[in-house]
Amino acid sequence: MQVTAKVGALKARNCVGFPGLVLAVLICLSSGIARADDDDSSKGVSSTPNVYLDMRTTYARVPAGALAVGFGNSSLLTALQSAAVSNAGSLAAIAGGATLPGAQSAVVDLPMTIDVSDNVSLYAGVSASSTSTPMTGWSSVAITSWNLGFQADLYNQNGGSLPTLTWQSTITQAIPNGPFATTTFTNIFEFDYAFDQDETRGWLAGVQDTRVIVGSPLATIHPDIMGYVGGYYQWPNNWKFTGRAGVQVFGGAQLLSRASVSSFTQPIVRLDLDRMDDNDNRLFGVTAQIMWVPKPAYQITLRTPLYFARN
């Protein structure tokens, strides 16, 4: 199993040490990839990478007075954050403590991805979105964020007794990069223990940490931390089901000293159904997610990767 870890060389307050850490990891991973490619070449094994546009289309609905974080998809989070800050600005004439309106958002992510090995992938892309609130209606579709990244297995089970450990790290920058633009950092560490050599069934456990930096001191979004467990099963016909359930702890937010978002500790559930090929490349996927923030927020994602080269 692979894990997505998106990283960009982006300078942001309170994150000075992060690019250095990422650079060190990339150097180590690159060295490992080079050695693996040399070994494969000496054995006559093709090292040609998968190259594809990992297109993801997401629709989400968030209740009034809330910001949705949830599993992954920092592009959707960035779109909703931008809408929330914009709405907070429109509430400037209202007394303090005003509540953010409910929101809907549709996002298309277009990351170009290269699977340089079975354990490491690199990708970069942009996301376009449209957001709707009762106050504004649907906005025009526009590019609202960009991201860079890599994905890697830090340790592989390979039939042993210790689970695979994966790390996902995401940096997403809002567009345009104005005074209230957000930069989102997401880190996920996940353990995957497979019950068979082919890794068709097993259990999962992980933790996700999401931190947001707003370009202006007038708005603050506090960290979100999530712990979860889950499992997966892949049928002989290559359909794969994965389920995760956990608890999300959000520190709340203060937007322009007018609209506040309360902190909460609430459950979250994610269900995935994927169609794989014989080499475990995803052909199609659908994800449904319910998060209590503290009222329910809903999200559904379609994954339709477009392959340019596939092993």
Side-chain angles (χ1 to χ4, degrees):
M1 177 181 155
Q2 297 178 341
V3 68
T4 302
K6 302 180 184 176
V7 180
L10 179 66
K11 295 182 180 179
R13 279 195 310 273
N14 302 325
C15 297
V16 176
F18 189 83
L21 173 62
V22 168
L23 179 60
V25 172
L26 283 173
I27 292 173
C28 293
L29 290 174
S30 298
S31 300
I33 294 166
R35 288 194 298 270
D37 287 345
D38 289 343
D39 291 343
D40 288 345
S41 297
S42 64
K43 297 174 183 177
V45 178
S46 173
S47 59
T48 303
N50 288 338
V51 180
Y52 56 99
L53 191 67
D54 191 14
M55 187 168 67
R56 300 185 293 268
T57 305
T58 302
Y59 169 79
R61 178 187 292 269
V62 181
L67 280 175
V69 182
F71 287 101
N73 204 336
S74 55
S75 301
L76 173 65
L77 173 60
T78 297
L80 291 172
Q81 289 165 353
S82 299
V85 173
S86 176
N87 285 322
S90 66
L91 294 172
I94 303 177
T99 300
L100 288 173
Q104 303 176 69
S105 187
V107 178
V108 178
D109 295 315
L110 299 169
M112 181 62 71
T113 306
I114 302 177
D115 294 339
V116 295
S117 74
D118 288 341
N119 301 321
V120 179
S121 296
L122 308 174
Y123 61 89
V126 297
S127 300
S129 70
S130 176
T131 303
S132 171
T133 71
M135 300 171 58
T136 63
W138 284 97
S139 64
S140 300
V141 176
I143 295 177
T144 49
S145 66
W146 61 261
N147 54 67
L148 299 172
F150 72 89
Q151 64 181 29
D153 291 342
L154 302 182
Y155 176 82
N156 276 295
Q157 181 180 355
N158 286 333
S161 58
L162 296 178
T164 295
L165 172 60
T166 56
W167 174 33
Q168 174 179 342
S169 181
T170 305
I171 298 178
T172 304
Q173 173 66 55
I175 298 175
N177 190 11
F180 294 100
T182 60
T183 305
T184 303
F185 299 83
T186 302
N187 285 279
I188 301 174
F189 288 91
E190 183 174 88
F191 290 96
D192 173 1
Y193 184 83
F195 295 133
D196 59 356
Q197 187 67 36
D198 292 334
E199 299 182 357
T200 60
R201 53 194 178 92
W203 60 260
L204 304 169
V207 60
Q208 173 178 301
D209 179 274
T210 302
R211 297 175 186 269
V212 180
I213 296 175
V214 185
S216 170
L218 299 178
T220 302
I221 300 176
H222 297 289
D224 178 272
I225 299 175
M226 180 199 313
Y228 63 90
V229 295
Y232 58 90
Y233 183 85
Q234 184 170 333
W235 285 270
N237 61 4
N238 288 332
W239 281 98
K240 181 178 182 180
F241 173 79
T242 306
R244 295 175 178 87
V247 175
Q248 183 174 202
V249 181
F250 178 51
Q254 190 70 30
L255 306 178
L256 304 180
S257 301
R258 294 292 180 181
S260 62
V261 178
S262 300
S263 60
F264 61 80
T265 300
Q266 294 289 340
I268 182 169
V269 176
R270 170 177 166 173
L271 305 175
D272 295 85
L273 182 63
D274 296 296
R275 173 67 172 177
M276 317 296 287
D277 65 12
D278 291 336
N279 294 317
D280 280 340
N281 299 308
R282 180 182 288 106
L283 302 178
F284 170 81
V286 59
T287 297
Q289 187 175 166
I290 303 175
M291 61 203 94
W292 284 260
V293 291
K295 294 181 179 179
Y298 306 95
Q299 177 181 322
I300 186 167
T301 301
L302 297 179
R303 299 189 68 168
T304 51
L306 305 175
Y307 287 90
F308 300 98
R310 176 158 59 101
N311 292 328

